[in-house]
Amino acid sequence: MSQSDVLQRGDDFLMQYPRNSKVWKMFSHFTCLFTVGVSKLIITSLYNVELNHFDRLERAIDKAHDQNRGIMTVMNHMSVIDDPFIWAVFPWKTYRKLDNIRWCLGAHNVCFTNKFISTYFSLGQTLSTERFGAGPFQGSIDATVRLLSPDETLKNMDTLKSHFKMNRPAWVHVYPEGFVLQLQPPFSNSMRYFKWGITRMILESTRQPVIVPIFTTGFENIAPEDTAESPVDRYLPAGYGTKINVTVGKEIDEHVIENYRAEWSALVEKYKNPDSPHDLTDELKWGKEAQELRSRVAATLRENVAKIRHEERGFPQEDKRFKSPQWWKRYTTTEGASDPDVKFIGKNWAIRRLQSCLTGKESKDSNK
């Protein structure tokens, strides 16, 4: 069940730029095509690219379009160049129309540091997201809920004054780990836990999105994290000739997602505030039942990405610790001292102390 106040905040967030303008759309499409083109030139010239089961994504996109639903792709995050290089792997026909190009979330302190860079990433359909302190109830997440909600489903929401217009619900691509993860052997190609903020997109959009998992390897060799603090090496591609593998998984079971959404609707009815019936209550944000539901949805998303890793790519099973949010929070809080056998390549950027450009107190939801 969707709340119109959430959709309104998402609409307002999207309209911080003139996204309905034909001129904006023209420059946005050009920006996306230019970025994909440069990325294609680099990876096809310098690397060995393998794309598996792209037909699964094509079918999912067609299904979403035919049923007027949004599409959500969920991927592991091993490199700072995952985006845009992942899009260079897919064929040009994917980007013929701006409506077909993905939206994604980008860290505010990385992708929106000045007006020029902010405009570039905004034209590239990236939404500014604060990773420390703002938590999952912020404008960019509200905006993705709006992007996945068809315009026609908003007509009966009298309190919503929608200004952002879509020809069809959007494609939203997410990296649910929130941070790049590169671990030293024997834990290579493992994943963090999936943060439950992204599950709001699934539970709160007005219509259930089509969800497709993706697992990749190789991008971490192009931009290894041990060069992150080098002003030269950080921006030069490495690992020439390395193999880049992108494997698209099977669409996540619709019935599973339907059941999660039914649970959410029941919670919305149970904890509705008569004085503010169109918004999330504190219980729906921080209550035990709501958090437990979001955690289960996030775990399901992770299981489906991990399934590609284990069953289709043939990697050994991950260490069981890595599935646990509690383990990761303890490991990050102790800066690795709790489990010294797990070593990062480079640094664990989830440690707030390392984010020198951030200010303000970390709130209770910063690790969600």
Side-chain angles (χ1 to χ4, degrees), residues 273-302:
N273 181 354
D275 297 327
S276 183
H278 305 297
D279 206 352
L280 296 168
T281 63
D282 286 346
E283 193 65 36
L284 291 173
K285 290 181 179 179
W286 312 115
K288 182 178 179 180
E289 292 172 271
Q291 291 201 36
E292 192 273 337
L293 172 58
R294 293 190 184 99
S295 294
R296 283 190 285 123
V297 176
T300 295
L301 297 178
R302 191 185 189 283

Side-chain angles (χ1 to χ4, degrees), residues 135-148:
F137 302 102
Q138 57 176 295
S140 59
I141 306 297
D142 294 336
T144 57
V145 174
R146 171 68 183 92
L147 287 167
L148 291 167

Side-chain angles (χ1 to χ4, degrees), residues 235-251:
Y235 300 101
L236 294 176
Y240 302 116
T242 194
K243 186 174 183 178
I244 297 170
N245 183 288
V246 176
T247 300
V248 180
K250 296 179 181 178
E251 177 190 340

Side-chain angles (χ1 to χ4, degrees), residues 11 59 63 108 128-129 155 179 201 225 234 242 346:
D11 194 273
R59 288 196 297 272
K63 177 180 178 179
H108 178 81
S128 173
T129 307
K155 293 178 181 178
F179 296 90
M201 307 173 198
E225 280 295 295
R234 183 57 160 175
T242 194

Side-chain angles (χ1 to χ4, degrees), residues 52-184:
N52 298 317
H53 305 302
F54 179 69
D55 58 298
R56 293 171 175 172
L57 181 57
E58 286 185 300
R59 288 196 297 272
I61 292 172
D62 290 342
K63 177 180 178 179
H65 289 178
D66 291 344
Q67 299 179 4
N68 198 30
R69 296 162 59 187
I71 182 168
M72 183 175 175
T73 44
V74 184
M75 194 179 108
N76 62 316
H77 199 11
M78 292 192 66
S79 173
V80 294
I81 52 88
D82 283 341
D83 204 298
F85 278 25
I86 176 63
W87 312 117
V89 175
F90 297 159
W92 274 115
K93 63 181 180 180
T94 311
Y95 315 111
R96 284 179 296 191
K97 296 181 180 179
L98 183 62
D99 290 338
N100 294 342
I101 296 176
R102 67 88 189 101
W103 292 76
C104 71
L105 304 173
H108 178 81
N109 62 302
V110 176
C111 304
F112 295 85
T113 53
N114 60 53
K115 187 173 181 179
F116 174 79
I117 294 176
S118 298
T119 301
Y120 169 76
F121 278 99
S122 296
L123 286 168
Q125 300 201 151
T126 301
L127 303 175
S128 173
T129 307
E130 297 182 40
R131 293 190 295 189
F132 287 85
F137 302 102
Q138 57 176 295
S140 59
I141 306 297
D142 294 336
T144 57
V145 174
R146 171 68 183 92
L147 287 167
L148 291 167
S149 299
D151 284 2
E152 67 180 47
T153 61
L154 311 179
K155 293 178 181 178
N156 295 326
M157 296 186 177
D158 296 334
T159 61
L160 176 62
K161 297 180 181 179
S162 179
H163 300 289
F164 180 70
K165 304 299 180 185
M166 298 185 292
N167 293 321
R168 61 170 66 102
W171 172 3
V172 176
H173 182 75
V174 294
Y175 301 95
E177 296 168 85
F179 296 90
V180 167
L181 179 66
Q182 294 181 15
L183 295 179
Q184 297 182 18

